[in-house]
Amino acid sequence: MHLRILASAVALAASQAGAQTAMLSVAPADPAPGSLVRLTLAAAAAGDDSIVAIRGTMAGEPLRFLPRDSSTFGAIGPIPVDATDSVMARVFVERRSGASDTLVVAITVPPKPPPARESGLTVDRRFTQPLSAETQARIARENRLAAQIGRNAHDSPPMWSESFRRPREARITSQFGTGRMFNGAVASRHLGVDYQGAPGSPVFAANRGVVALVDTFFLAGRVVYIDHGGGIVTGYFHLTKPVVAKGDTVERGEQIGTVGATGRVTGPHLHWAARYGALTVNPGDLLELPTEFYARRPD
């Protein structure tokens, strides 16, 4: 029988044989909705009873654990933007002897603060009037397409071995999670990071990956999505002109487009978005990943 011990940020498990132990820890301990968290699995083995497989899920998305050494593994996982209480992570460790460890950790999510209103934002009235059934169907279709691109990112291992970088070296004009007030009314939370930029200013790939989509969306305007593998996708919205095509492999810092004002906008800027699988997450968290969570190790 598996022993399961739940904690706010740490879980312990004993194997069926009782000889090995494993520990799963999560940081930060109190992540905000939409955060990326870092999971560390310490799973010691006695003798030659080595680990042969690690499987895990969090918020309905698969976890990918990468080795740091013979007994320590790391993964990143998502906190949904609509999380209000706790999020569960479940990890299963299989050993050569047939023994297995089961670990379950409940990650407490603090209450979501009221959105901070951003004043003075005005957009074209066609984006704030009741939408036609046809337009609503288009937006839903585009949302499904973006979510599927995120799911597809689980099909390949991480393609990056360097840190993520900002898509523009410019002033941030709106942070992730702030309330968006359009034409005097709070309409939604902001699910990305906005960077200042004049029309035609360059936009750069945050890391190595494959261009998964170049398209024009009703709300996001001209978009580029990059599949970085390992479940991570970044999106670049409101572009004037993409300069890459679907299927292109892009390198960290390579120009992929130019700043624009397409879609629902308050003026020219870059909206930078990110997904872990189908879930929207804070792209700023990608910039904070420690080296051991992205650097590839030699085979």
Side-chain angles (χ1 to χ4, degrees):
M1 177 180 296
H2 297 173
L3 173 64
R4 306 184 184 192
I5 305 176
L6 276 67
S8 61
V10 178
L12 301 174
S15 71
Q16 291 173 328
Q20 289 80 39
T21 61
M23 183 174 68
L24 179 67
S25 59
V26 181
D30 55 350
S35 295
L36 279 174
V37 298
R38 305 179 296 277
L39 300 96
T40 299
L41 173 67
D48 61 356
D49 194 11
S50 58
I51 294 171
V52 296
I54 302 173
R55 297 177 291 109
T57 60
M58 181 175 175
E61 297 290 340
L63 297 173
R64 181 186 293 271
F65 282 89
L66 299 177
R68 297 181 192 166
D69 53 45
S70 60
S71 61
T72 309
F73 306 82
I76 54 179
I79 302 293
V81 293
D82 57 356
T84 57
D85 185 9
S86 63
V87 177
M88 305 298 291
R90 293 176 172 83
V91 178
F92 309 94
V93 181
E94 300 176 15
R95 300 179 183 276
R96 187 177 301 278
S97 66
S100 62
D101 298 331
T102 301
L103 301 96
V104 182
V105 59
I107 303 157
T108 302
V109 180
K112 186 183 299 182
R117 295 189 173 191
E118 297 179 347
S119 60
L121 305 183
T122 303
V123 298
D124 191 313
R125 287 287 176 183
R126 71 191 177 97
F127 292 111
T128 58
Q129 297 301 311
L131 301 176
S132 67
E134 180 181 4
T135 299
Q136 292 181 52
R138 175 185 173 182
I139 294 172
R141 182 171 64 251
E142 291 167 352
N143 288 339
R144 289 194 299 269
L145 177 57
Q148 188 58 51
I149 290 170
R151 294 186 189 97
N152 293 345
H154 287 301
D155 294 341
S156 59
M159 302 176 199
W160 72 92
S161 57
E162 298 180 84
S163 63
F164 278 79
R165 55 155 285 170
R166 291 157 56 110
R168 282 186 51 74
E169 291 302 328
R171 183 172 69 89
I172 292 176
T173 57
S174 183
Q175 295 282 2
F176 184 91
T178 54
R180 307 312 308 274
M181 177 184 285
F182 295 117
N183 301 343
V186 174
S188 64
R189 285 184 181 268
H190 187 226
L191 299 182
V193 176
D194 286 352
Y195 289 89
Q196 187 178 49
S201 301
V203 174
F204 303 102
N207 220 324
R208 187 172 188 272
V210 174
V211 177
L213 182 71
V214 177
D215 206 341
T216 300
F217 284 3
F218 179 78
L219 297 176
R222 294 189 180 94
V223 301
V224 170
Y225 280 90
I226 299 177
D227 178 347
H228 300 283
I232 295 294
V233 168
T234 54
Y236 309 77
F237 297 176
H238 309 307
L239 302 177
T240 293
K241 180 183 178 182
V243 297
V244 291
K246 181 178 179 179
D248 288 350
T249 297
V250 294
E251 300 298 328
R252 179 182 186 272
E254 180 178 340
Q255 184 175 351
I256 61 168
T258 57
V259 171
T262 57
R264 183 174 71 176
V265 293
T266 61
H269 70 281
L270 170 70
H271 174 101
W272 185 39
R275 286 180 180 268
Y276 183 89
L279 299 178
T280 297
V281 294
N282 185 353
D285 288 350
L286 293 171
L287 305 176
E288 305 299 325
L289 288 177
T291 304
E292 59 267 25
F293 284 88
Y294 60 79
R296 287 195 294 263
R297 277 126 182 102
D299 295 333

